[in-house]
Amino acid sequence: HRQGKYTEAENLFQRAMAGREKILGSEHVETLATVHGLALLYESQERFNDAEACYQRALAGCKKVLGSGHSETLAIVHNLASMYQNQEKYMEAQSLYLKALPGQQKQLGPEHSNTLTTMQNLALLFKKQKNYNDADELYQKALAGSKKILGAEHPVTLRIMHNLASLYKAQKKYPEAQSLYLSALAGRERQLGPEHGETLATVYKLASLYQKQVNYEQAKILFQRALDGHQKLLGSEHSETLLTMKKLKSLHEKI
């Protein structure tokens, strides 16, 4: 699955599921774990109807066997919510995140990595709905928890920082956004390297921020850096490369 060998992965998941159903039963926790794994695989393939059916089966089984507050049940709730979010089914996603978060806070603790992930995803959802105050509150909690548990320069902490900067940019809080982008960029360069995809994402976002601030020279330098990195990492025809190229061309026309 992680290697993108989806056909081979599906065949093995199906064999494992059939064997576990026969030997252990359809509602055994190991059978349900395989159903959950199959749901994740189908989601990776954008087979959303098949994924949803597997998520729902795994969720119903885990609720019955383990209870609604068990960590495995909560993980399925979170993953189903994340799929709905990616499909822009925001109300369904929000409902599930709001169910998962209190359970994770109680069972795992407010600073557990799974809890922090749910906070981030719910914050991103609130941002898309322009519910900026609730998004800010969740990002701040997630950032503080991640700094405490994982450290100020852990990739997860830096991702939260990047996303909080994007929230401030959407609110036109440009100085706050710039400060966080610069911190996230410095951390990502040290921890991931200057040409890592997440580093380039921050370079691109910071360039876009400078453009909004009419700091065209800095924007040009960073867009060019992002373009060079995307071409090397993703290729000339990738959508992110083409978008960066379009931004740089537009900027040249303004200067």
Side-chain angles (χ1 to χ4, degrees), residues 63 68 74 77 93-104:
K63 278 183 178 178
S68 298
L74 295 170
V77 172
Q94 180 174 320
S95 174
L96 288 172
Y97 280 138
L98 290 172
K99 288 178 182 176
L101 185 57
Q104 289 174 325

Side-chain angles (χ1 to χ4, degrees), residues 30 59 62 193 208:
E30 291 191 18
L59 181 57
C62 282
S208 179

Side-chain angles (χ1 to χ4, degrees), residues 62-74:
C62 282
K63 278 183 178 178
K64 183 177 179 181
V65 176
L66 301 172
S68 298
H70 191 277
S71 59
E72 180 63 24
T73 308
L74 295 170

